[in-house]
Amino acid sequence: GENVEQHPSTLSVQEGDSAVIKCTYSDSASNYFPWYKQELGKRPQLIIDIRSNVGEKKDQRIAVTLNKTAKHFSLHITETQPEDSAVYFCAAGGTASKLTFGTGTRLQVTL
Amino acid sequence: GAGVSQSPSNKVTEKGKDVELRCDPISGHTALYWYRQSLGQGLEFLIYFQGNSAPDKSGLPSDRFSAERTGGSVSTLTIQRTQQEDSAVYLCASSSSQGGYGYTFGSGTRLTVV
């Protein structure tokens, strides 16, 4: 089955700096890669996703890149703000019945 | 409904008791998923429903865990003879298609086994 690894497990950045979270996946047949944000005590919420026919996707301060050859994808957050502090999960799916999630990255944006 | 609804939001049970967790998906969503999230951990897949059938039960950790879905809508996850290691947040998600596209999560049930 699919295996998703995510790094780093924790990330601390100063407000205004950029943050990058990286994930690798094992199943070359996976073709859908969403990112979820989970604030403390809340449900995970989809913030951006990318499909394998696209190499990069951007939505305001958030961007995701995908390298299918290397089987890795990354989340980039620019101009970080305190409200970006949360746990971020990457996931892979699209061919199997379900999403396989990474172990999460706790992002802390300090003033 | 407007979102995925889970009940109860919190459940404290004694070790050895059975518990039932309920998920009411978004109306019309045919795919329904159960995940488990232990404190500070990632999202562990438990089971997937397409309609009323469960083509993938590979994540259920033991035969104490079972789930059903009726009418292509509400799903119930049952844990028998609960153990302390079952303590976690149980999250349900639904989607209008297979493959994990467009997951919407519920708020979860926090289960504490004492």
Side-chain angles (χ1 to χ4, degrees), chain B residues 6-49:
Chain B
Q6 290 188 247
S7 60
S9 55
N10 280 284
K11 176 72 176 178
V12 180
T13 190
E14 291 182 352
K15 178 182 172 181
K17 295 284 179 71
D18 297 352
V19 294
E20 285 189 353
L21 312 180
R22 176 188 168 105
C23 172
D24 197 346
I26 292 173
S27 178
H29 279 193
T30 57
L32 186 147
Y33 308 82
W34 284 98
Y35 284 79
R36 179 168 73 173
Q37 186 173 30
S38 301
L39 187 63
Q41 300 300 306
L43 296 159
E44 176 190 4
F45 169 77
L46 298 178
I47 187 169
Y48 153 64
F49 286 93

Side-chain angles (χ1 to χ4, degrees), chain B residues 3 30 77 101:
Chain B
T30 57
L77 177 69
Y101 304 110

Side-chain angles (χ1 to χ4, degrees), chain A residues 30-36 46 48-51 91-101, chain B residues 29-33 35 45 48-50 56 93-105:
Chain A
S30 289
N31 60 13
Y32 176 64
F33 307 92
W35 287 86
Y36 284 80
L46 178 69
I48 195 168
D49 57 13
I50 192 168
R51 304 203 181 203
T95 56
S97 58
K98 61 188 184 288
L99 290 176
T100 300
F101 287 85
Chain B
H29 279 193
T30 57
L32 186 147
Y33 308 82
Y35 284 79
F45 169 77
Y48 153 64
F49 286 93
Q50 181 62 34
D56 189 348
S94 71
S95 171
S96 59
S97 61
Q98 299 181 56
Y101 304 110
Y103 266 31
T104 299
F105 280 95

Side-chain angles (χ1 to χ4, degrees), chain A:
Chain A
E2 176 66 274
N3 181 51
V4 178
E5 295 191 355
Q6 183 171 348
H7 300 280
S9 56
T10 60
L11 179 60
S12 181
V13 299
Q14 284 198 319
E15 183 180 6
D17 287 350
S18 295
V20 180
I21 302 170
K22 298 182 179 183
C23 289
T24 61
Y25 62 98
S26 62
D27 187 352
S28 56
S30 289
N31 60 13
Y32 176 64
F33 307 92
W35 287 86
Y36 284 80
K37 175 183 180 182
Q38 187 177 31
E39 297 178 13
L40 190 62
K42 301 282 185 64
R43 73 188 77 191
Q45 293 199 303
L46 178 69
I47 56 171
I48 195 168
D49 57 13
I50 192 168
R51 304 203 181 203
S52 60
N53 58 346
V54 176
E56 183 174 356
K57 183 176 178 181
K58 190 172 181 181
D59 183 3
Q60 299 182 10
R61 297 185 297 107
I62 293 173
V64 58
T65 59
L66 171 65
N67 183 328
K68 283 221 73 177
T69 303
K71 295 206 283 287
H72 66 69
F73 56 112
S74 301
L75 178 71
H76 304 252
I77 306 173
T78 58
E79 300 171 25
T80 52
Q81 301 169 2
E83 52 265 38
D84 295 330
S85 296
V87 178
Y88 292 81
F89 292 97
C90 62
T95 56
S97 58
K98 61 188 184 288
L99 290 176
T100 300
F101 287 85
T103 49
T105 296
R106 182 174 301 278
L107 173 64
Q108 183 171 6
V109 180
T110 58
L111 296 174

